[in-house]
Amino acid sequence: MSENTANPWLEIKAEDYEGHMALPEVDQSAPLGRIFGEALIRSAAKKIALLGSATGNGIEAVDFDKIDKLYALDINPDFLDILKTRFSLNISKIEAIACDLDRDDPELSGIDLVFAALIFEYVDTEAVIEKVARWLKPEGVLVVVLQLPCKDIPEISPSPFKNLEKLSSIMKLVVPDDFSAMVVARGLEPLGRRVHRLRSGKEFCEMAFRASEP
Ligand SMILES: C[S@@+](CC[C@H](N)C(=O)[O-])C[C@H]1O[C@@H](n2cnc3c(N)ncnc32)[C@H](O)[C@@H]1O
């Protein structure tokens, strides 16, 4: 995206985004929240970075008594304001970072779990992988969810929330094998992958990678 073009995500209202994701024919929030919850259980992470956190889908699954910090990163500060209000009881353990992952380089380190669901479709994949690889602690885990191509379903599901159509100008699917090759080139080891089929017929590919030992 050119320096002067505003990212369309900045123009998306939280109620439109959440309304769209929760539509029965879209139904993406609950599956993504479940995948995050499972990643939390598997990793027993103390420091978590949630990339493209939006308004905090899935954070209900975090046991704040067991973690030190959750970093929520998103380009849209309004989304993060809602996230902070929604999870205000645990705000001492949440750091919301409004940033453009393409242009900014938040100072994170020692992260046990980076969870990134449906964000790589909107950023410079290689540049963000390079940042994630630096943020992870040795043996820290990256869990990513990528949208798979589907012959009969548009990449951005049709929606009464017309504002979301703006996103098609920047959305691109990421091929899981290409993604995996880029992560492995940064020294991470693939742990596995699985495909989730949504009620809409859309499919997500979840992949996990582990940073190398010290
Ligand atoms: C499809 S949503 C992610 C879904 C979310 N993980 C969930 O479970 O509902 C993509 C998110 O990434 C954020 N985003 C898009 N481009 C970004 C960028 N360049 N830097 C940071 N966040 C970005 C958007 O604001 C949006 O909240």
Side-chain angles (χ1 to χ4, degrees):
M1 193 177 314
S2 93
E3 282 292 316
N4 300 319
T5 316
N7 189 305
W9 275 104
L10 293 168
E11 295 169 37
I12 305 294
K13 289 195 170 13
E15 60 263 33
D16 289 354
Y17 173 67
E18 292 189 338
H20 172 80
M21 294 288 274
L23 286 170
E25 63 272 29
V26 177
D27 183 34
Q28 295 186 6
S29 298
L32 291 175
R34 263 197 308 277
I35 296 170
F36 181 44
E38 289 164 12
L40 286 169
I41 291 168
R42 281 198 309 271
S43 72
K46 294 277 183 201
K47 275 171 96 176
I48 301 159
L50 191 53
L51 307 193
S53 63
T55 50
N57 183 38
I59 294 183
E60 324 66 62
V62 175
D63 182 345
F64 281 93
D65 290 335
K66 294 195 176 147
I67 71 155
D68 294 335
K69 202 68 159 182
L70 171 78
Y71 299 96
L73 292 84
D74 203 281
I75 196 170
N76 187 319
D78 297 339
F79 289 2
L80 293 176
D81 284 345
I82 291 172
L83 181 156
K84 286 188 281 185
T85 305
R86 219 165 256 174
F87 298 98
S88 58
L89 276 180
N90 295 296
I91 199 65
S92 62
K93 292 201 173 174
I94 295 177
E95 188 171 333
I97 303 176
C99 61
D100 180 342
L101 285 163
D102 279 338
R103 296 176 183 179
D104 305 324
D105 195 1
E107 278 186 34
L108 299 181
S109 60
I111 303 291
D112 299 293
L113 172 66
V114 172
F115 187 79
L118 307 190
I119 167 79
F120 279 98
E121 286 78 0
Y122 299 99
V123 293
D124 177 338
T125 308
E126 184 124 41
V128 177
I129 287 174
E130 186 273 326
K131 290 172 195 175
V132 168
R134 271 191 283 116
W135 296 340
L136 281 171
K137 76 173 201 189
E139 299 191 67
V141 171
L142 163 66
V143 175
V144 63
V145 178
L146 300 174
Q147 184 175 321
L148 293 174
C150 184
K151 194 161 59 68
D152 303 318
I153 304 179
E155 285 164 15
I156 296 184
S157 308
S159 169
F161 302 102
K162 292 295 170 206
N163 234 2
L164 272 82
E165 285 169 8
K166 293 179 183 154
L167 299 175
S168 56
S169 64
I170 55 163
M171 202 265 188
K172 41 100 182 93
L173 292 182
V174 180
V175 178
D177 283 347
D178 296 350
F179 185 89
S180 186
M182 286 184 241
V183 177
V184 169
R186 293 279 166 198
L188 280 77
E189 165 203 2
L191 296 178
R193 66 170 82 178
R194 57 184 174 153
V195 171
H196 301 263
R197 191 177 166 84
L198 309 194
R199 269 191 294 175
S200 62
K202 224 176 218 189
E203 290 182 333
F204 291 158
C205 178
E206 174 192 2
M207 292 191 286
F209 302 88
R210 183 169 47 213
S212 49
E213 291 172 30

